[in-house]
Amino acid sequence: MPNARATHLTRRGILAAGGALGLGAVLAACGDEDTNSGGSDSTASAKASGPWSFKDDRGETVKLDKVPANIVAFTGVAAALYDYGIQVKGVFGPTTTTDGKPDVQAGDLDVSKVTVLGNEWGKLNVEKYATLSPEVLITTTFDDAGTLWSVPEESKDKIAQLAPSVAISVYDRQMTEPLQRMWELAESLGADMKADKAVQAKKKFEEAAARLRAAAKAKPDIKVLAGSASDQLFYVSGTNFSIDLEYFKALGVNFVEPSEKAKEATGGWFESLSWENVDKYPADIIIMDDRSSTIQPADITESTWKKLPAVKAGQVIARSPEPILSYDKCTPLLTSLAEAIEKAKKVS
């Protein structure tokens, strides 16, 4: 498995790059968190009054006397749990925009009902965190070292002393795997996964996957490029490591792949291009990073961008490099790409 660390990259560059989000290089590897995994893995619904345990994707098992009520989670994780009926007490990560509205990563989460411990990546107020009497901290991990996503390196030890952590891996696997793990986590926390809402959401996801597979099969020559924009650079993501791109590729989508040599500097995640060279890779559809930390297509003023065939043809759609891991939120990602391929004209 290729190592995703690239310590010479800036966090700004990593956050701006759609496929580079999971680089553990921004943080030092959390090797000291390798504790005894303990034994049983609880993935069945836990009784509210009974003990709770969950074995996460680092192989670590958290055991508590009861199902945790004081949950603190990365915003996207909190949004996924919310879709399954689990309410967290505090969040960290992009939660609200400058005008106070929910960030794209907050999904349907009622941001007025959670304590925001840090409203950007890598920010978590330890003192405020302590006041919540946290019982468990839940986030994702984007590397094979199990680095806790968005937990500040400088205060990770203090944070670890206040509550155990659970990490769902979103590194080097297809989207369906972390979706299933989040389902299991929500179920262990008391979510009713037999409820019609949950059952129908999963069914619609499977239907959307079938539609995308059919669209890709019908138009195999349509090339899709995954991009992300910053002030100075345009990033082209490779399909390795990113859960959405790996899954879409498995369904048959024909992706533009940066050269392996070009990706070496980023541990294989993406290639950085100057705006003058944004036309290096011909594409029929461009899927663009939708996070608030990046520049959105409507705000890109570079003339080279506007001349791209896919842009001129109106064949640019949004991509969520950090998808909210509920079936309800991932279904539109499949549907949007399927529709774009179905309607796409060959312009590259």
Side-chain angles (χ1 to χ4, degrees):
M1 180 181 297
N3 194 314
R5 299 186 187 86
T7 54
H8 57 287
L9 290 174
T10 64
R11 183 177 70 84
R12 176 183 176 85
I14 290 171
L15 287 176
L21 286 177
L23 294 182
V26 185
L27 306 174
C30 296
D32 57 344
E33 293 184 298
D34 185 18
T35 59
N36 193 324
S37 63
S40 66
D41 175 8
S42 174
T43 56
S45 292
K47 296 180 180 178
S49 59
W52 180 80
S53 70
F54 188 83
K55 186 176 182 179
D56 74 0
D57 291 337
R58 300 170 298 175
E60 298 184 15
T61 300
V62 175
K63 295 183 179 182
L64 300 174
D65 293 336
K66 60 182 180 64
V67 177
N70 292 352
I71 301 170
V72 171
F74 178 70
T75 302
V77 171
L81 293 175
Y82 182 84
D83 283 351
Y84 293 127
I86 303 299
Q87 178 70 50
V88 307
K89 196 168 185 179
V91 297
F92 58 100
T95 307
T96 60
T97 58
T98 54
D99 57 3
K101 295 180 180 179
D103 186 271
V104 65
Q105 291 185 257
D108 293 332
L109 187 68
D110 187 342
V111 296
S112 68
K113 293 184 178 180
V114 294
T115 299
V116 181
L117 303 173
N119 196 30
E120 60 182 285
W121 187 92
K123 300 294 183 181
L124 198 166
N125 186 305
V126 181
E127 290 72 24
K128 188 182 290 188
Y129 177 56
T131 66
L132 297 181
S133 301
E135 294 173 282
V136 66
L137 179 149
I138 307 174
T139 186
T140 53
T141 180
F142 278 83
D143 62 22
D144 55 7
T147 306
L148 298 178
W149 185 239
S150 198
V151 171
E153 169 65 17
E154 64 275 11
S155 55
K156 68 180 180 67
D157 292 336
K158 292 181 180 179
I159 291 168
Q161 291 173 5
L162 293 170
S165 60
V166 166
I168 299 298
S169 179
V170 287
Y171 170 68
D172 196 16
R173 61 203 63 204
Q174 294 179 26
M175 180 188 289
T176 46
E177 186 173 341
L179 271 173
Q180 179 61 29
R181 292 294 284 145
M182 190 64 72
W183 174 286
E184 293 168 359
L185 176 58
E187 187 175 38
S188 78
L189 293 168
D192 181 6
M193 311 317 274
K194 294 182 180 179
D196 187 64
K197 180 180 179 181
V199 173
Q200 290 301 316
K202 192 171 185 178
K203 180 181 178 182
K204 289 178 180 179
F205 175 87
E206 293 167 349
E207 292 172 347
R211 179 181 176 181
L212 179 55
R213 186 189 297 276
K217 185 177 181 179
K219 291 187 174 182
D221 59 333
I222 294 296
K223 295 181 180 180
V224 179
L225 182 148
S228 184
S230 69
D231 289 334
Q232 302 298 321
L233 297 170
F234 182 80
Y235 304 88
V236 179
S237 296
T239 57
N240 291 341
F241 308 135
S242 298
I243 60 171
D244 61 331
L245 302 185
E246 284 202 15
Y247 185 50
F248 299 159
K249 183 179 180 180
L251 292 174
V253 176
N254 181 9
F255 277 102
V256 171
E257 294 282 1
S259 69
E260 291 303 316
K261 183 177 181 180
K263 293 188 295 182
E264 285 179 2
T266 67
W269 285 87
F270 64 98
E271 178 179 358
S272 304
L273 298 174
S274 66
W275 282 105
E276 291 78 10
N277 295 313
V278 73
D279 58 355
K280 179 178 180 179
Y281 296 106
D284 303 297
I285 297 173
I286 302 176
I287 57 175
M288 288 291 289
D289 187 342
D290 68 354
R291 290 164 304 153
S292 55
S293 59
T294 66
I295 299 176
Q296 297 306 299
D299 299 318
I300 298 176
T301 58
E302 300 289 342
S303 59
T304 49
W305 163 262
K306 294 180 179 180
K307 292 177 182 178
L308 293 177
V311 175
K312 293 172 67 175
Q315 296 178 172
V316 178
I317 64 171
R319 174 201 171 203
S320 297
E322 289 185 74
I324 295 171
L325 295 172
S326 72
Y327 288 104
D328 180 71
K329 294 299 179 292
C330 286
T331 295
L333 308 181
L334 296 166
T335 302
S336 176
L337 183 52
E339 183 177 358
I341 294 174
E342 290 165 355
K343 295 180 177 179
K345 296 179 180 179
K346 184 68 179 175
V347 295
S348 65

